[in-house]
Amino acid sequence: MKQRFFFSIAILFALIIPLGATDNFLNLASQDLFLQQGYPDDLMPMRGESETEDCIVVNYNDGMSFILWENRVKEIRADKRYRGSIFGLYMGMTPADARMALGIDPKEEMSSELIFHKLDTMLPVKIHLFFHADKLVNIAISLLKN
């Protein structure tokens, strides 16, 4: 009976939160993340700026990682192994293609990084893009702080 209940909840989440709607993962409770994504392939601690900001990194072999703080998803990361799309962004894109996909200008530009603030999502987010040889290799998405 208990398994059937959890299976029903997992199906409900799959219907409510479509694949690739990563902004819906932000602030999600860890148990809901595990129901939706399944068991992680790796867990590891991450030291914060202070002891009260220590986090847990939840890694999946598809290149997606979730940073948990106080039992909620604080940040979403995707590395070059990730084959999906996040906000229309794909690994291997050029900086120009990434700007076009997001449809907004970056708030900050560095030689191999772009930082965007996207306000038209369910929660306002910061999108940090990392490039190597002008190809997108890493994405970090976090809640935008006031």
Side-chain angles (χ1 to χ4, degrees):
M1 181 69 176
K2 205 177 209 183
Q3 280 182 321
R4 190 174 177 178
F5 172 75
F6 286 117
F7 181 72
S8 299
I9 294 294
I11 288 176
L12 179 63
F13 272 101
L15 294 173
I16 291 173
I17 304 174
L19 215 54
T22 52
D23 56 314
N24 290 337
F25 284 114
L26 289 172
N27 211 30
L28 191 67
S30 60
Q31 64 268 25
D32 295 330
L33 172 69
F34 297 140
L35 275 173
Q36 187 170 345
Q37 292 294 107
Y39 292 110
D41 296 302
D42 186 36
L43 292 170
M44 59 188 217
M46 182 172 89
R47 176 62 69 186
E49 290 182 27
S50 71
E51 287 183 20
T52 61
E53 295 178 355
D54 288 353
C55 300
I56 295 173
V57 181
V58 178
N59 292 308
Y60 291 91
N61 284 337
D62 67 353
M64 289 292 292
S65 297
F66 300 89
I67 313 294
L68 299 178
W69 181 67
E70 291 189 348
N71 213 25
R72 295 209 166 267
V73 176
K74 170 184 172 179
E75 185 173 318
I76 302 164
R77 294 185 182 173
D79 65 30
K80 61 185 175 185
R81 296 172 297 159
Y82 185 66
R83 297 291 170 235
S85 168
I86 300 173
F87 291 119
L89 301 166
Y90 295 89
M91 295 301 161
M93 289 181 112
T94 66
D97 290 339
R99 288 172 192 249
M100 200 177 336
L102 291 172
I104 54 177
D105 291 326
K107 290 289 182 186
E108 294 180 50
E109 292 184 58
M110 287 134 298
S111 62
S112 61
E113 299 175 38
L114 294 174
I115 298 175
F116 296 86
H117 291 179
K118 192 153 178 61
L119 305 176
D120 63 347
T121 55
M122 187 168 73
L123 298 167
V125 295
K126 174 183 170 182
I127 303 171
H128 195 157
L129 305 179
F130 300 86
F131 297 88
H132 178 72
D134 268 350
K135 301 289 182 194
L136 182 61
V137 294
N138 205 305
I139 301 171
I141 301 171
S142 59
L143 290 174
L144 195 55
K145 295 176 181 155
N146 297 332

